[in-house]
Amino acid sequence: MKAPWGKVARMVRRSRRALLVALVCLGILGSSAMAQGELRFCLRSEPKTFDPLKVEDDASVAVRYLTGGVLVRMNRQTQALEPELAQSWKVSKDGKQITFKLRSGISFSDGTPFSAEDVAYTVQQLMDPALHSPTGDTFRSGPGNVETKIFSPTQISITFPAPVAGLDRQFDQVAILSAHSGKKEMAVLGPFMVADYKPGATLLLKRNPNYWKTDAQGRKLPYLDSITLDIQPNRDVEMLRFKRGEVDLINSLDSEYFDKLAATSPQLVHDAGASLDSEQMWFNEVAKAPLPQYKKNWFRSATFRRAISEAINRADLARVVFRGHAQPAVGPISPANKFWFNAKLKPATYSPDAALKALQAEGFRMENGELKDREGNAVVFSIITNSGNKARERMATMIQEDLQKIGVHVNVVTLDFPSLIERMTQSFDYEAILLGLTNVGLDPNEQMNVWLSSSENHQWNPQEKTPETPWEAEIDRLMQAQASSADAKRRKESFDRVQEIAVEQAPFIYLVNRNALSAVSQRVQGASPVILVPQTYWNVERLSVK
Amino acid sequence: MSVWRRVACAVLLLVAGLSLAANVLAPAGYAKQYREAADSGPSSAHWLGTDEIGRDRFARVLYGTRISLLLAPAAALLSTLMAALVGGLAGYLGGGWARGAMAITDLFLSLPWLFLLITVRALMPLNVSPLVSVLVTFLMLGLLGWTSAARVLCASAGSLRDSDFVRQARASGVRGARLFWIHVMPNLKPVLYAQFWISIPAFILSEANLGILGLGVAEPMPSWGSLLKELEGLVSVGSEPWKFVPLILLAVVVTSFQIVMSKQEEVAA
């Protein structure tokens, strides 16, 4: 009997081919899906809403970023505007109208098709005064109604009653809602969708099966299968869980924790450089404040404010309080804001001698190590800050010692936050305050409420009926000019001048810009933390985990 | 006196002695900032290292101990006197007086003292020197901390009012304030001593709690509370055991006070 070796050999060859084909198929399938596990990180508070138009708190902003589809997106790394659901767009010369050309063939997470009708619906909802949308507020530059005109399912124009500065950039925050889906805001166009929510515990996001983007190799995005967001307000617990490998990312890391982690695992921590956030102090310049007149005179003197500013060692604040993870502040805008920062401004110098000379020229004099004004009043004032914020308490204590060198005696007072806000906004019963400003957006329009003299948040002297000083009047004029112009160059010129006035007059004494510190587990691939929010997961659709 | 009580007394005297010698042992003082050596470990220049802004931790512990050990007994004395006045008189007078006084005491007891302290602190003028802030903090503790002791004293004075020797004094014609001061108060002394000793560690801990919240003694003056703030966040102190010194000292002093006062409690009982 002849052994069927030829048949066996043929079968083996066929099997090999079949195996090869199977492997190739698997490879193709694998590369097209590349679903890559679950990412975990913490939200520091409960998201207050899933409606992207009502978002106000940080946790809801994070959920909106992960789930919402937007027409244009500011690239957090380059700070340039990039097309998303809109292929292209055009802003009219008067800054009132924007026309979008939309992508076609896109569906919401529930399968409802996306078209210009959804954009029109979203904009009408956004601008509905009854909704009180904080995002909508940034588009309200004048009285009247917004008009939308649909030219085709992929083309729409939106006309606002008054020019909106940086109109196209504002759409980075507008997640498009479906006009027709029964799932309302839970039907999304972003890379992830809300799958499960356990209040106080976790929020589970699953990849949106209808997400439209692909990578350069044609693979569908996002790479991740899901994201679990643990609601964890305690920073210590978040840090411990990161160390144990239970969470993959930490945003806005404290400088102390950063250094501790860097000492053991330097490959996990990232210092992206100066962020947009600043720490600052200011004097009470409110005319009706319950303060002695001589103190009001000090605080309303630009020379006095500049001298105090010059006597503060900002480099030490950055080096000691923030362990080198902060930069001495130059002015109202952080150098991290590439376009709007006025590069002509010079960093504040530290010179107690020059500060003392300037004060002496104003009639102040030193007597037995104590600075006294023209009338013989000792220069003593208090700085209040919010209790529990270790960095601010330390800064205030260091400023106390710095100012002692020019004979100024400072009392540091820490108050609970509601008491501090009450003194700051209601009774005006304070002398100086040290607080921080968190900037999320880059556009100066987001600071309108600080710079306009009539504004409630014009902290050193809120709600002035008319500007009380010529320089405040000039700031008002410049801020309004930049807000009503669509010409980026002219806007920049106006805002550069605002920054110069702010430095000359020192209504705010800018101290430091904190660095954007974060930690990323080695499990996560594709992360490149940046200074803008959300630091670590700005490119979430391209992140994967090992 | 038992061995443990002797040891406790010795510990308290040693700690008090060291804190009073702070000027000699730590001549640089508690406020000087060695910014080039901020948050450093123990060295020959700084025996317990420096804090986050470079202040000598050893000096701050000594000066902080002085403040806590001097002012906590003062606050305890104030609260005990108030308790004696309110509770002792209410118990002695009895009837409607006692019910009224104890109703007020219950009202004070029901107040969330921490929030009350925060509110009082927020209402204080801002431009007060650190020394005044220390005095005010302990004054507030003394003024708000008399209630529990008042209830105990009311009950004790009430039982004395109906005792045979008080009846006998009354029958002999002794009345009013004389009866209270000569016959009642001396018999309340053991209870008063016990309440005084109990209050000291309670006030030390209260100040420490306020300090942790940033609402106690103002910068740059140290207190145990402000020193304990360094222990916020176990992650940050795990590898720096010297930061536990204020906590250990607090535990040792409070325990010593407990041992010393256990004698007073026995006497009161």
Side-chain angles (χ1 to χ4, degrees):
Chain A
M1 198 177 155
K2 193 181 168 187
W5 292 116
K7 205 175 173 180
V8 170
R10 271 200 305 279
M11 280 175 69
V12 168
R13 276 202 296 275
R14 274 183 201 155
S15 307
R16 272 190 196 154
R17 256 182 247 141
L19 185 66
L20 195 65
V21 168
L23 285 173
V24 167
C25 287
L26 276 173
I28 290 167
L29 282 172
S31 66
S32 68
M34 203 185 162
Q36 293 281 329
E38 183 185 61
L39 183 76
R40 290 185 81 107
F41 60 95
C42 293
L43 290 179
R44 286 169 191 156
S45 62
E46 201 84 36
K48 294 199 169 42
T49 179
F50 291 135
D51 184 341
L53 305 185
K54 292 183 187 167
V55 161
E56 208 165 12
D57 56 297
D58 290 347
S60 303
V61 167
V63 176
R64 182 180 67 186
Y65 190 87
L66 295 166
T67 61
V70 291
L71 297 173
V72 291
R73 174 70 86 203
M74 184 185 62
N75 183 313
R76 265 46 176 182
Q77 199 164 43
T78 62
Q79 298 183 8
L81 211 53
E82 293 177 350
E84 283 276 307
L85 296 168
Q87 276 181 314
S88 60
W89 63 93
K90 193 178 174 193
V91 179
S92 65
K93 279 187 180 169
D94 62 4
K96 289 184 184 176
Q97 191 184 64
I98 186 164
T99 306
F100 289 107
K101 179 155 179 24
L102 309 176
R103 292 179 200 277
S104 56
I106 294 174
S107 298
F108 283 86
S109 54
D110 65 341
T112 316
F114 161 69
S115 74
E117 267 186 70
D118 301 308
V119 177
Y121 171 76
T122 305
V123 171
Q124 292 299 343
Q125 291 288 307
L126 181 77
M127 301 308 289
D128 181 357
L131 191 74
H132 300 294
S133 166
T135 313
D137 287 344
T138 59
F139 289 90
R140 280 190 196 95
S141 53
N145 294 325
V146 65
E147 284 173 19
T148 53
K149 193 171 180 185
I150 298 172
F151 300 105
S152 73
T154 58
Q155 195 162 18
I156 182 171
S157 78
I158 304 161
T159 309
F160 292 88
V164 179
L167 179 56
D168 47 0
R169 285 187 173 258
Q170 309 274 19
F171 278 90
D172 174 78
Q173 307 290 320
V174 182
I176 302 299
L177 297 172
S178 169
H180 303 293
S181 171
K183 288 194 164 183
K184 304 231 178 228
E185 69 263 16
M186 301 313 268
V188 294
L189 289 163
F192 296 92
M193 56 187 190
V194 174
D196 188 26
Y197 175 44
K198 293 189 177 74
T202 56
L203 174 65
L204 175 66
L205 306 179
K206 290 247 163 112
R207 73 199 301 269
N208 173 1
N210 298 325
Y211 191 55
W212 59 278
K213 266 194 194 173
T214 54
D215 67 9
Q217 285 76 43
R219 292 176 298 195
K220 281 201 82 174
L221 295 174
Y223 295 144
L224 292 164
D225 286 328
S226 61
I227 300 177
T228 297
L229 302 168
D230 294 332
I231 295 154
Q232 179 51 263
N234 188 317
R235 307 295 300 267
D236 285 330
V237 175
E238 184 183 19
M239 182 72 167
L240 284 170
R241 294 193 63 196
F242 179 81
K243 280 182 154 182
R244 288 204 296 250
E246 291 171 10
V247 293
D248 300 310
L249 310 170
I250 305 182
N251 274 335
S252 308
L253 199 57
D254 179 70
S255 55
E256 204 173 331
Y257 287 169
F258 182 94
D259 279 1
K260 300 286 175 199
L261 198 55
T264 53
S265 317
Q267 70 282 8
L268 302 184
V269 290
H270 298 265
D271 183 344
S275 70
L276 301 179
D277 301 344
S278 62
E279 296 292 327
Q280 62 218 47
M281 66 172 270
W282 69 92
F283 290 105
N284 184 352
E285 295 184 46
V286 179
K288 63 179 179 186
L291 300 176
Q293 190 55 46
Y294 65 89
K295 286 199 174 182
K296 286 183 190 171
N297 295 342
W298 303 342
F299 301 156
R300 288 170 82 94
S301 154
T303 309
F304 178 83
R305 296 192 298 265
R306 277 197 300 267
I308 295 295
S309 173
E310 205 166 12
I312 295 172
N313 191 338
R314 290 171 173 76
D316 271 4
L317 295 183
R319 186 176 53 80
V320 176
V321 177
F322 296 94
R323 297 161 177 260
H325 302 296
Q327 312 301 322
V330 178
I333 295 292
S334 164
N337 191 338
K338 292 176 186 168
F339 182 74
W340 293 104
F341 172 66
N342 183 349
K344 287 181 196 155
L345 295 177
K346 292 192 173 68
T349 50
Y350 166 60
S351 174
D353 295 338
L356 194 55
K357 268 185 193 162
L359 288 167
Q360 282 166 339
E362 276 278 294
F364 290 85
R365 61 183 190 278
M366 278 288 253
E367 272 183 27
N368 304 322
E370 194 176 43
L371 192 71
K372 292 193 170 170
D373 68 6
R374 222 183 277 270
E375 295 152 20
N377 300 300
V379 182
V380 179
F381 62 83
S382 61
I383 299 177
I384 55 176
T385 192
N386 55 318
S387 58
N389 188 312
K390 285 199 266 186
R392 288 189 193 136
E393 287 172 18
R394 287 170 197 163
M395 277 197 289
T397 311
M398 288 180 72
I399 291 170
Q400 185 181 46
E401 190 176 85
D402 283 344
L403 296 187
Q404 192 69 56
K405 288 175 190 158
I406 58 166
V408 174
H409 186 76
V410 173
N411 290 310
V412 176
V413 181
T414 55
L415 290 180
D416 59 299
F417 212 71
S419 304
L420 191 154
I421 296 297
E422 192 276 330
R423 282 179 186 265
M424 188 173 106
T425 60
Q426 304 293 319
S427 67
F428 305 114
D429 186 7
Y430 73 92
E431 291 171 346
I433 288 181
L434 194 161
L435 277 182
L437 185 69
T438 302
N439 281 316
V440 178
L442 298 171
D443 199 280
N445 263 9
E446 303 205 5
Q447 296 191 12
M448 283 292 268
N449 61 348
V450 172
W451 293 110
L452 289 184
S453 60
S454 56
S455 166
E456 279 181 21
N457 291 327
H458 187 66
Q459 277 116 346
W460 67 89
N461 192 4
Q463 291 179 297
E464 296 174 27
K465 287 197 176 81
T466 53
E468 290 182 12
T469 58
W471 58 269
E472 283 174 299
E474 194 184 351
I475 287 181
D476 279 3
R477 187 182 60 73
L478 290 163
M479 286 305 289
Q480 273 151 357
Q482 70 78 28
S484 57
S485 172
D487 181 347
K489 196 178 160 209
R490 284 181 59 189
R491 291 188 66 208
K492 171 90 168 96
E493 282 169 5
S494 297
F495 197 61
D496 276 356
R497 180 65 193 133
V498 171
Q499 293 175 65
E500 283 164 15
I501 297 170
V503 171
E504 283 161 18
Q505 298 297 330
F508 285 124
I509 296 174
Y510 293 95
L511 302 170
V512 293
N513 294 115
R514 277 175 280 140
N515 284 10
L517 307 177
S518 56
V520 180
S521 150
Q522 282 191 299
R523 225 167 66 87
V524 180
Q525 295 190 312
S528 59
V530 294
I531 57 156
L532 298 180
V533 174
Q535 296 170 349
T536 49
Y537 58 90
W538 65 275
N539 57 342
V540 66
E541 57 205 11
R542 289 166 202 278
L543 295 183
S544 58
V545 287
K546 280 196 272 189
Chain B
M1 194 183 258
S2 74
V3 176
W4 282 112
R5 204 163 294 134
R6 279 181 199 166
V7 171
C9 284
V11 166
L12 287 176
L13 284 173
L14 179 69
V15 172
L18 284 173
S19 70
L20 289 172
N23 308 37
V24 181
L25 294 169
Y30 57 83
K32 182 160 175 55
Q33 297 170 7
Y34 299 91
R35 294 183 184 177
E36 299 306 318
D39 201 21
S40 60
S43 65
S44 56
H46 307 290
W47 294 352
L48 290 177
T50 57
D51 70 3
E52 294 85 353
I53 55 175
R55 294 175 297 191
D56 185 82
R57 191 175 284 108
F58 180 66
R60 292 184 68 73
V61 168
L62 290 185
Y63 281 97
T65 305
R66 181 192 286 187
I67 288 167
S68 294
L69 281 189
L70 281 178
L71 291 175
L77 184 67
L78 177 67
S79 74
T80 310
L81 287 176
M82 285 185 67
L85 198 68
V86 177
L89 268 178
Y92 168 69
L93 294 171
W97 287 104
R99 281 195 296 277
M102 287 306 102
I104 293 167
T105 308
D106 288 344
L107 186 69
F108 266 84
L109 271 172
S110 66
L111 290 173
W113 67 269
L114 187 61
F115 291 102
L116 195 65
L117 282 171
I118 289 171
T119 307
V120 174
R121 181 74 186 83
L123 292 174
M124 267 173 57
L126 298 176
N127 251 325
V128 292
S129 69
L131 184 65
V132 174
S133 83
V134 174
L135 294 172
V136 169
T137 301
F138 281 97
L139 188 68
M140 285 193 305
L141 290 172
L143 289 174
L144 296 170
W146 55 271
T147 47
S148 300
R151 286 202 72 85
V152 176
L153 282 157
C154 182
S156 304
S159 64
L160 286 175
R161 190 188 60 213
D162 298 325
S163 63
D164 291 344
F165 70 92
V166 172
R167 284 182 185 182
Q168 198 172 0
R170 214 177 265 141
S172 313
V174 185
R175 290 277 190 279
R178 187 178 161 77
L179 182 66
F180 181 70
W181 287 112
I182 306 273
H183 295 280
V184 177
M185 274 307 274
N187 287 288
L188 286 176
K189 267 186 191 168
V191 185
L192 283 172
Y193 284 141
Q195 291 304 319
F196 172 75
W197 287 107
I198 288 169
S199 301
I200 293 173
F203 288 143
I204 289 172
L205 291 171
S206 299
E207 189 282 323
N209 286 333
L210 281 179
I212 288 168
L213 293 171
L215 297 163
V217 174
E219 289 282 3
M221 200 160 260
S223 72
W224 282 352
S226 60
L227 294 167
L228 288 173
K229 270 167 81 177
E230 282 195 298
L231 296 178
E232 276 179 344
L234 276 176
V235 175
S236 62
V237 290
S239 55
E240 297 162 332
W242 54 89
K243 287 189 177 176
F244 286 95
V245 168
L247 180 68
I248 294 165
L249 197 59
L250 176 69
V252 167
V253 167
V254 171
T255 309
S256 301
F257 269 118
Q258 296 284 353
I259 293 169
V260 170
M261 88 196 180
S262 62
K263 171 74 177 167
Q264 303 302 326
E265 282 175 342
E266 283 165 23
V267 172

